[in-house]
């Protein structure tokens, strides 16, 4: 899945497609996708606008996953 997410981000070069793939991966609990979303929203990278609320949402999601392991 990680390869798919990376490939999707690079090949499509479309922010919406890349974010959609990362969001789907995050829903499935893939921590690397969640971390990527956190970084994108915290820093406003790769055409993604900074969004502290979304960065916090994914940070909380990551904490929940780590607490369940």
């Amino acid at each position: 899945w990680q390869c798919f997410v990376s490939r999707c981000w690079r090949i499509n070069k479309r922010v919406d497609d890349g974010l959609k793939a990362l969001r789907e991966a995050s829903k499935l609990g893939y921590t690397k996708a969640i971390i990527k979303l956190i970084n994108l929203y915290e820093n406003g990278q790769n055409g993604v606008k900074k969004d502290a609320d979304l960065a916090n949402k994914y940070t909380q999601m990551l904490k929940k996953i780590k607490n369940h392991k």
Side-chain angles (χ1 to χ4, degrees), residues 11 34 41 62:
I11 291 172
I34 297 169
Y41 287 121
L62 184 62

Side-chain angles (χ1 to χ4, degrees), residues 5-34:
V5 172
S6 288
R7 195 174 318 122
C8 181
W9 189 263
R10 277 186 267 128
I11 291 172
N12 288 322
K13 294 184 182 175
R14 291 183 52 196
V15 173
D16 292 339
D17 290 343
L19 287 175
K20 182 179 177 182
L22 288 170
R23 284 188 202 112
E24 289 299 317
S26 73
K27 288 178 188 176
L28 296 172
Y30 290 93
T31 57
K32 289 185 179 185
I34 297 169

Side-chain angles (χ1 to χ4, degrees), residues 37-56:
L37 285 166
I38 293 167
N39 289 329
L40 288 170
Y41 287 121
E42 281 182 344
N43 302 311
Q45 301 171 332
N46 299 341
V48 177
K49 292 182 183 177
K50 283 186 180 183
D51 189 323
D53 292 334
L54 285 173
N56 186 52

